[in-house]
Amino acid sequence: QVQLQESGPGLVKPSETLSLTCAVSGYSVISGYYWGWVRQPPGKGLEWIGTIYHSGSTYYNPSLQSRVTMSVDTSKNQFSLKLRSVTATDTAVYYCARVAVGGQTDFWGQGTLVTVSS
Amino acid sequence: QSALTQPASVSGSPGQSITISCTGTSSDVGGYDYVSWYQQHPGKAPKVMIYDVSKRPSGVSNRFSGSKSGNTASLTISGLQAEDEADYYCCSFTSITTYVFGTGTKVTVL
């Protein structure tokens, strides 16, 4: 069974960098799917952050592109998200997910709440 | 990219059918057969209910169906059940090779 697990600090200070990792088990990150990040501010809707392929190709939400970097570590079977210069509006539950061509995300992590506050 | 437009809320009685619309543009919903629908219960991760406009993943009830006409996609839930009460989001591939979610619809079973 494919499982994804997010990890990283739950509290980040304004202007600093949010860093999250998604560990994948039960499936190899190089086996043909894309990998993505989605976030959801408290009480609000879902927002697509971006997707990455194991080759390193990345596709970012234009509204976040200037602050986002995604990467894949095939040796550890995991992928990561970095969001720079965060503000309170970046406070959200961050989900990682397996993404098929066309956007079907069939496996999700449980989500991790990241709060931006001093 | 702007979020796709969904009604804020839809309600129905048990056994009835409801339809949720998802309106985009020719650069997303209208341009590709890559629309998916997600169900999200409070405090839980989203679950895919429909992908590629009208395909249903294994294990998803056949009470859920999807369609598309022009720039608008739709999710229909037939035989509404109490367990269907949740938030629903559409999602579309876009012309700039990203994805965009809808604004979300709260489904209430009366």
Side-chain angles (χ1 to χ4, degrees):
Chain A
Q1 176 74 337
V2 181
Q3 292 185 316
L4 292 86
Q5 179 67 58
E6 305 91 349
S7 63
L11 181 64
V12 181
K13 289 182 169 56
S15 80
E16 295 190 345
T17 297
L18 177 160
S19 296
L20 295 174
T21 296
C22 182
V24 181
S25 58
Y27 194 85
S28 171
V29 296
I30 65 172
S31 293
Y33 278 82
Y34 291 80
W35 305 92
W37 291 94
V38 174
R39 70 180 183 178
Q40 185 171 36
K44 296 188 178 181
L46 301 171
E47 181 180 29
W48 198 285
I49 299 172
T51 51
I52 186 168
Y53 197 60
H54 66 80
S55 62
S57 297
T58 53
Y59 309 88
Y60 300 141
N61 183 329
S63 67
L64 298 171
Q65 184 162 9
S66 64
R67 300 193 291 131
V68 169
T69 301
M70 295 176 61
S71 59
V72 172
D73 186 336
T74 56
S75 67
K76 294 183 179 179
N77 212 44
Q78 63 186 32
F79 59 103
S80 300
L81 168 71
K82 290 188 185 298
L83 181 64
R84 297 177 291 278
S85 304
V86 297
T87 69
T89 58
D90 295 310
T91 293
V93 174
Y94 285 76
Y95 295 99
C96 60
R98 189 178 82 165
V99 185
V101 173
Q104 177 197 7
T105 52
D106 52 0
F107 290 98
W108 295 70
Q110 64 185 22
T112 186
L113 175 63
V114 179
T115 301
V116 178
S117 175
S118 56
Chain B
Q1 58 192 25
S2 299
L4 308 175
T5 301
Q6 298 180 231
S9 62
V10 174
S11 62
S13 299
Q16 287 187 330
S17 292
I18 62 170
T19 297
I20 303 169
S21 61
C22 169
T23 302
T25 69
S26 58
S27 295
D28 38 63
V29 174
Y32 309 91
D33 287 335
Y34 286 142
V35 176
S36 48
W37 287 90
Y38 297 88
Q39 176 192 66
Q40 187 181 34
H41 287 109
K44 301 294 187 181
K47 173 187 175 183
V48 62
M49 307 303 283
I50 295 289
Y51 68 99
D52 293 355
V53 175
S54 60
K55 297 178 181 177
R56 207 170 34 249
S58 173
V60 171
S61 170
N62 59 9
R63 298 185 298 104
F64 292 85
S65 61
S67 62
K68 190 185 83 166
S69 177
N71 295 338
T72 299
S74 299
L75 173 71
T76 297
I77 308 175
S78 58
L80 199 62
Q81 299 180 0
E83 67 207 49
D84 300 331
E85 187 162 293
D87 293 326
Y88 290 82
Y89 296 90
C90 60
C91 182
S92 175
F93 182 72
T94 78
S95 59
I96 53 173
T97 62
T98 62
Y99 296 90
V100 60
F101 281 104
T103 50
T105 298
K106 181 176 181 60
V107 169
T108 301
V109 180
L110 302 171

